[in-house]
Amino acid sequence: MPQTLVIKIGTSSLTQPETGSLALSTIASVVETLSQLRRQGHRVVLVSSGAVGVGCARLGLTERPKGIALKQAVAAVGQGRLIRVYDDLFTALQQPIAQVLLTRADLVQRTSYLNVEQTFQELFGLGVIPIVNENDTVAVDELKFGDNDTLSALVASLVNADWLFLLTDVDRLYSADPRRHPDAQPITLVNRLEELKELQVQVGDRGSNWGTGGMMTKISAAQIATGAGVRTVIMQGRSPHNIEKILQGQSIGTQFAPQPRPVSARKRWIAHGLVPAGTLYLDDGAVQAIRYAGKSLLAAGIIAIEGEFESQDAVVICDRDGTEIARGVVNYSHLELAQVKGQQSDAIADILGYPSPETVIHRDNLVVMGGDGR
Ligand code: GLU
């Protein structure tokens, strides 16, 4: 059955660690594998880093630039080269590609989120493989995906993918860094992310010289993607043909089991398009009502608030221990909520002095994370 697959490859797999020049054989096998998957009828998206790395190699820079303007300039040089290489190789296999450059802001606006979603659907209809990267040249620091692991998870949510493959420089996740601990235990399947904490997996965050990620960003990408119902795999970037074997059921890499997916596109946008501006902490009763009974959030259940947000901003909703349970679009600003938290709904108008919505977050604007997707 045709499935939607998002494959993310990082700079550390695409370039030679010593010189920063392109790892052509790896790129060629990615191209072969993805073209083959496309021919089998799958919808395929490639999220590729490398703009900054390739730009550095092109300009003879020996270190990743630190300053923002220089990094953005270097990315502008590298992105064109990168796509040129992909297009040459994919064209050799008669596979059309597209360049899709996104900024975080493109997903925050509901209309542009929907536009991007429709563009992907059209590209799939045309049999094209979109190659996605952050639009590094225009992205501003406050609103950035930051790393392509996160970008790929958000894209997987956006296109409602079945699978997200994170290609990296280790073959799977281990209970400790295998480069330093030879007795580290391999992890093949993660059903719940809490299992990693129980196993005390040390993820570190030391990426390679050239990329920006590390295991930490991969695990948080897995959290986003599995929460959106996308099965996620961390696997060796130098062996992309393993993707086909994994689709045939082989246990390669570390697989993260998906949670039930949010049913509507709008809820996916609330969960993964919007950038939360604050956090609400709830008492146990409110957590139960939201998580298991699909109720709206009322002021009475809020015990604390954090951040400065306006009405209609997105917020993260946590239990009293700070574990995220949901996200939603709030009907009150942080200043209003500071006055009405813990109060019954019918007292709110008197406290604020003007008529006010009954719910703090209506259940239509509430997405239970990793829950039942109501
Ligand atoms: N967008 C960056 C680039 O193409 C990479 C970000 C990352 O490595 O995660 O160079």
Side-chain angles (χ1 to χ4, degrees), residues 26-45:
T26 301
I27 300 179
S29 28
V30 168
V31 167
E32 276 172 6
T33 303
L34 269 50
S35 302
Q36 175 68 13
L37 291 166
R38 183 62 219 84
R39 277 196 295 277
Q40 291 165 2
H42 299 299
R43 292 169 291 272
V44 179
V45 178

Side-chain angles (χ1 to χ4, degrees), residues 45-332:
V45 178
L46 174 60
V47 176
S48 177
S49 310
V52 177
V54 172
C56 286
R58 178 70 185 86
L59 297 168
L61 305 179
T62 50
E63 238 176 58
R64 204 181 161 89
K66 305 253 168 354
I68 293 172
L70 178 58
K71 202 189 289 179
Q72 294 191 309
V74 169
V77 173
Q79 180 64 29
R81 301 276 322 147
L82 187 63
I83 286 291
R84 160 87 200 260
V85 171
Y86 277 125
D87 199 32
D88 284 349
L89 293 171
F90 274 110
T91 300
L93 299 177
Q94 284 87 46
Q95 173 57 55
I97 59 156
Q99 170 179 253
V100 178
L101 297 179
L102 295 174
T103 62
R104 189 69 188 82
D106 298 327
L107 303 190
V108 174
Q109 282 294 331
R110 174 129 174 91
T111 44
S112 56
Y113 183 93
L114 291 175
N115 272 336
V116 176
E117 194 186 356
Q118 281 163 14
T119 305
F120 275 110
Q121 295 310 326
E122 291 296 333
L123 290 168
F124 293 149
L126 294 166
V128 169
I129 296 182
I131 302 183
V132 182
N133 197 359
E134 179 154 19
N135 193 347
D136 292 310
T137 301
V138 302
V140 288
D141 239 10
E142 305 77 59
L143 213 55
K144 247 175 160 323
F145 296 106
D147 64 83
N148 278 11
D149 296 321
T150 308
L151 169 63
S152 66
L154 296 175
V155 167
S157 166
L158 178 89
V159 300
N160 219 356
D162 300 291
W163 292 84
L164 169 64
F165 297 93
L166 298 168
L167 273 48
T168 182
D169 51 3
V170 292
D171 60 348
R172 53 167 52 116
L173 205 58
Y174 288 82
S175 54
D177 185 342
R179 289 172 291 199
R180 284 181 297 156
H181 303 272
D183 54 345
Q185 292 301 309
I187 298 168
T188 50
L189 179 66
V190 180
N191 282 307
R192 292 173 307 110
L193 280 155
E194 294 83 62
E195 289 170 14
L196 294 180
K197 278 187 213 141
E198 287 153 19
L199 283 167
Q200 299 192 321
V201 169
Q202 300 163 16
V203 290
D205 199 12
R206 300 181 323 136
S208 62
N209 274 342
W210 294 97
T212 52
M215 255 328 144
M216 204 98 98
T217 59
K218 285 182 183 57
I219 289 172
S220 83
Q223 181 167 25
I224 295 171
T226 54
V230 183
R231 185 175 290 273
T232 303
V233 186
I234 293 179
M235 58 178 281
Q236 177 65 259
R238 306 232 181 262
S239 316
H241 48 270
N242 280 340
I243 293 173
E244 285 187 76
K245 297 188 185 155
I246 294 169
L247 290 175
Q248 286 156 8
Q250 288 193 31
S251 167
I252 298 172
T254 299
Q255 300 200 16
F256 296 79
Q259 309 287 331
R261 72 178 63 221
V263 279
S264 71
R266 183 181 152 73
K267 292 219 167 176
R268 287 205 305 278
W269 169 67
I270 291 174
H272 300 129
L274 291 174
V275 179
T279 307
L280 310 182
Y281 296 88
L282 309 190
D283 65 21
D284 301 342
V287 169
Q288 296 288 325
I290 285 177
R291 192 178 246 168
Y292 302 113
K295 294 276 173 49
S296 297
L297 172 63
L298 304 178
I302 301 176
I303 48 182
I305 58 175
E306 233 174 56
E308 295 187 2
F309 48 86
E310 298 303 322
S311 160
Q312 302 314 306
D313 277 348
V315 291
V316 173
I317 298 162
C318 293
D319 65 13
R320 57 172 78 244
D321 302 326
T323 303
E324 176 172 350
I325 57 152
R327 289 187 183 199
V329 176
V330 79
N331 287 330
Y332 292 92

